[in-house]
Amino acid sequence: MLQAARFAFEEQGLGVPLGEIARRAGVGAGTVYRHFPSKEALFRATIVDRIELFTDTARDLAEVMDPGPVFFRFLSSVVRLASRNKALCDALEEAGAGRFEPSPGVGQNFDEALEVLLRRAQEAGDVRPDVGITELRALLVGCLSMERAVPGDGSGGAAPGRMTALMCDALRTERAVTELEAEPVKRNEARCEVCGATIAAARTGRPARYCGGACRQKAHRARERTRRT
């Protein structure tokens, strides 16, 4: 029964009907329910050992001499192995969103082991320092989805591992951090010339150029320096 469930979840994830699992196992749905109170309980039984294997591997790598390259190799191996397994993709995504816990402590143990690898790679200067475990988990889950969505099939699609390489490149240390574009200015909306904050539209008179006295003083000092030079 567990073997049939494992194969079914690997192919279809959490969406596989319990009746399909029973059919593959050659038993009735009632037999499945007698052993597992719910589909979620059966799902947990099939993926806990896989996540624990990732956790144990991360712990084994915690004290390596080259933490940066090891961190990237570990991420790549997790994506490579999990992207072939819809069950693991669903489990990691649901756990990251706080909607699923494979087993008491299993998800937290994985996060803690992964965070150690992340921190050591950052201390070695190989990973940008502004990334936290929450962002890393989001990137990991997103990369899993993309690797499954754009498999290399020889027809012009992305090569296998291409999304993983892009994720790793985004995590590497760079001299500058990409900034989000400023929100477009709405019609009849003004921005402070110093800090860019939104200024309430003036009902009468000339439109304001600064959001307050502090920015007005900064602009005045800047004009004075320009005039003196």
Side-chain angles (χ1 to χ4, degrees):
M1 189 187 305
L2 275 175
Q3 190 70 4
R6 179 171 286 115
F7 286 139
F9 283 129
E10 285 179 2
E11 294 171 6
Q12 301 180 45
L14 270 167
V16 63
L18 192 64
E20 171 66 12
I21 296 173
R23 185 190 64 79
R24 293 191 183 200
V27 300
T31 301
V32 178
Y33 276 119
R34 280 196 296 273
H35 291 82
F36 300 95
S38 66
K39 185 175 71 172
E40 287 71 21
L42 180 57
F43 181 75
R44 288 185 177 91
T46 63
I47 54 91
V48 163
D49 59 336
R50 301 298 200 269
I51 298 178
E52 287 178 337
L53 179 60
F54 289 150
T55 302
D56 291 341
T57 302
R59 287 170 173 166
D60 290 341
L61 298 172
E63 300 299 329
V64 295
M65 298 300 295
D66 51 348
V70 166
F71 169 77
F72 289 115
R73 285 199 297 270
F74 177 76
L75 281 188
S76 299
S77 66
V78 169
V79 173
R80 185 179 68 254
L81 294 172
S83 62
R84 304 170 186 168
N85 187 328
K86 186 65 166 59
L88 274 176
C89 290
D90 285 357
L92 291 173
E93 181 175 357
E94 293 295 305
R99 296 188 295 263
F100 175 75
E101 174 62 45
S103 184
V106 170
Q108 181 179 348
N109 290 341
F110 175 70
D111 279 355
E112 291 174 352
L114 181 60
E115 189 171 18
V116 170
L117 297 185
L118 170 64
R119 186 175 66 252
R120 293 204 67 227
Q122 289 173 326
E123 291 171 350
D126 293 314
V127 174
R128 48 193 292 176
D130 61 329
V131 176
I133 186 61
T134 301
E135 294 169 316
L136 179 59
R137 278 292 299 270
L139 284 171
L140 184 59
V141 170
C143 189
L144 284 171
S145 298
M146 291 304 297
E147 287 286 2
R148 290 183 63 85
V150 288
D153 55 6
S155 60
R162 172 64 175 165
M163 298 297 109
T164 307
L166 292 175
M167 175 186 68
C168 290
D169 286 347
L171 289 168
R172 297 183 191 279
T173 305
E174 299 289 346
R175 292 185 178 181
V177 177
T178 302
E179 296 182 359
L180 297 177
E181 294 183 4
E183 294 182 3
V185 177
K186 299 178 182 178
R187 182 178 296 180
N188 299 326
E189 182 181 84
R191 298 274 186 170
C192 175
E193 294 182 6
V194 175
C195 69
T198 302
I199 303 174
R203 295 183 179 180
T204 60
R206 298 175 58 186
R209 298 172 60 188
Y210 311 106
C211 62
C215 284
R216 189 178 298 108
Q217 286 295 326
K218 289 180 181 178
H220 174 72
R221 288 195 292 268
R223 287 195 299 270
E224 285 296 310
R225 287 195 296 270
T226 302
R227 185 179 60 80
R228 287 196 292 268
T229 56

